[in-house]
Amino acid sequence: MTGYTKIGPTIALLAWSSLDERLREAEAIVSDSAASSVRLQQAEEELRLAACQLASIAAKRKLGRETSPHNMNKGNVRAILVAAGTTEAAVDRIQAMFINADDSHHAPKNYQPNVQRIRQGIAAIRDVKAALVI
């Protein structure tokens, strides 16, 4: 909600964080040698959300359609990025990251995030963003 008047609330749909902010946050977490497993899982979640935001931005700028990042899954992300002109190899890199982030999202008690996979996910999203010029 962005405001409330006598006639009701004024609601605006906004991203909580920009794509670049999410990537910086994930990078800051993996750069912290004392980051706990929970913090590393937060980095994975930031990447999952960043992948959805990337696809939403690509849909708007490259395909001319509004697509909310809020209800996307890895299949939606893949379809949009391929349609927007991303190479299969680049989309596969994001899909690999997405699978790990999904695991984290539904993590069993003994789940251990992998810092290297998080770094690879950050690089994959940045590479696709640069290739799409968005």
Side-chain angles (χ1 to χ4, degrees):
M1 275 191 205
T2 59
Y4 194 81
T5 65
K6 286 183 180 183
I7 60 171
T10 303
I11 299 173
L13 184 59
L14 302 171
W16 287 100
S17 298
S18 73
L19 173 60
D20 291 329
E21 288 171 329
R22 290 192 187 287
L23 293 174
R24 283 192 299 272
E25 178 66 18
E27 202 162 52
I29 292 169
V30 298
S31 296
D32 178 1
S33 60
S36 68
S37 178
V38 170
R39 286 287 289 152
L40 291 170
Q41 287 181 32
Q42 289 171 338
E44 289 177 325
E45 178 65 7
E46 289 294 339
L47 288 183
R48 188 181 70 76
L49 295 170
C52 294
Q53 282 181 285
L54 176 65
S56 177
I57 293 165
K60 183 175 184 175
R61 294 187 185 165
K62 297 293 184 177
L63 306 175
R65 66 179 196 236
E66 292 286 335
T67 305
S68 172
H70 301 291
N71 298 318
M72 284 193 198
N73 59 34
K74 65 184 176 185
N76 303 127
V77 170
R78 178 177 201 82
I80 290 169
L81 293 178
V82 167
T86 306
T87 66
E88 290 283 334
V91 174
D92 289 345
R93 288 176 59 211
I94 288 180
Q95 291 292 282
M97 174 280 311
F98 217 102
I99 290 166
N100 294 328
D102 278 351
D103 288 347
S104 169
H105 189 64
H106 302 285
K109 270 187 168 182
N110 61 352
Y111 177 79
Q112 289 297 315
N114 182 298
V115 172
Q116 187 57 32
R117 284 192 310 229
I118 297 169
R119 286 191 174 116
Q120 290 169 350
I122 293 167
I125 291 171
R126 284 203 169 121
D127 290 349
V128 169
K129 180 182 178 225
L132 290 174
V133 192
I134 55 173

